[in-house]
Amino acid sequence: AWRSPEPQAEYDVVVVGAGGHGLATAYYLARNHGVTRVAVLERGWLGGGNTGRNTTIIRSNYLREPSSAIYELSRGLYETLSQDLHFNIMFSPRGVMMLCQTEHELRAMKRTESANRAAGIDTELGSPAQVKRICPILETRGPRFPVLGGLWQPRGGTARHDAVAWGYARAASALGVDVIQNCE
């Protein structure tokens, strides 16, 4: 578990929000830069905000080059995060496929595929037959909305976001970071 310290009068860095982003920021400040006089303030409980409501999908399919770069870096961190944090975040690198069921979605996914490939991210927009090969149990013909294609990112996966928050909190706390819950 992580420590539950009383707030100090002064910190070098104060991070607002004990979700995945806030806790990761504190952890990497301490681990990579030696900044340990850090407080992570959370008005509720650890991981109880957006992190607790988030999906489990880990992917990097975004359109703009800066977004693609940071999401691909982040996606790559998940590959060794359980080992780095010494905490099982339940990462499963099974790939991620986003389905297209309208012509508008198909056009948008073609654009995303092009942007990802330009950024060097392994992504493929597959036909209904290719989607079916990857996921044989999927009914691609309907009955209501047929699958027109699928954007496949083989290095994507899933992880438990609450476990990510707990792992970062535990590791940051062990490095001297104060994680303070119920602190509005």
Side-chain angles (χ1 to χ4, degrees):
W2 48 89
R3 298 175 298 109
S4 293
E6 289 296 317
Q8 297 177 27
E10 190 176 300
Y11 290 96
D12 294 330
V13 176
V14 174
V15 177
V16 178
H21 292 112
L23 291 163
T25 298
Y27 170 72
Y28 291 114
L29 279 171
R31 190 192 83 175
N32 294 353
H33 304 287
V35 180
T36 57
R37 288 180 29 88
V38 177
V40 180
L41 306 180
E42 174 57 52
R43 83 172 153 188
W45 63 94
L46 189 139
N50 194 44
T51 295
R53 294 184 302 274
N54 208 338
T55 65
T56 64
I57 298 170
I58 309 301
R59 70 199 190 300
S60 59
N61 54 346
Y62 294 87
L63 293 174
R64 300 202 43 169
E65 190 175 325
S67 299
S68 295
I70 195 157
Y71 276 95
E72 180 61 9
L73 173 68
S74 298
R75 189 217 45 80
L77 290 174
Y78 278 90
E79 293 176 345
T80 60
L81 196 55
S82 289
Q83 295 83 8
D84 295 345
L85 299 177
H86 305 290
F87 193 88
N88 186 4
I89 63 162
M90 297 174 225
F91 178 60
S92 177
R94 62 184 73 190
V96 170
M97 184 178 338
M98 296 175 65
L99 300 178
C100 309
Q101 295 182 298
T102 68
E103 290 296 331
H104 173 74
E105 289 173 331
L106 188 59
R107 281 191 305 274
M109 292 298 173
K110 284 179 183 176
R111 184 175 173 219
T112 300
E113 176 195 33
S114 178
N116 281 357
R117 286 179 170 237
I121 298 169
D122 188 9
T123 305
E124 178 184 350
L125 181 61
S127 67
Q130 291 168 309
V131 167
K132 185 82 168 168
R133 267 198 306 283
I134 293 169
C135 185
I137 65 169
L138 186 64
E139 179 51 64
T140 58
R141 294 177 303 219
R144 192 163 177 195
F145 297 106
V147 173
L148 302 179
L151 189 66
W152 172 241
Q153 188 176 19
R155 292 186 62 207
T158 61
R160 287 275 310 266
H161 285 84
D162 53 354
V164 171
W166 300 332
Y168 273 129
R170 186 173 159 255
S173 179
L175 293 171
V177 171
D178 288 353
V179 178
I180 305 166
Q181 300 179 77
N182 300 308
C183 179
E184 196 160 343

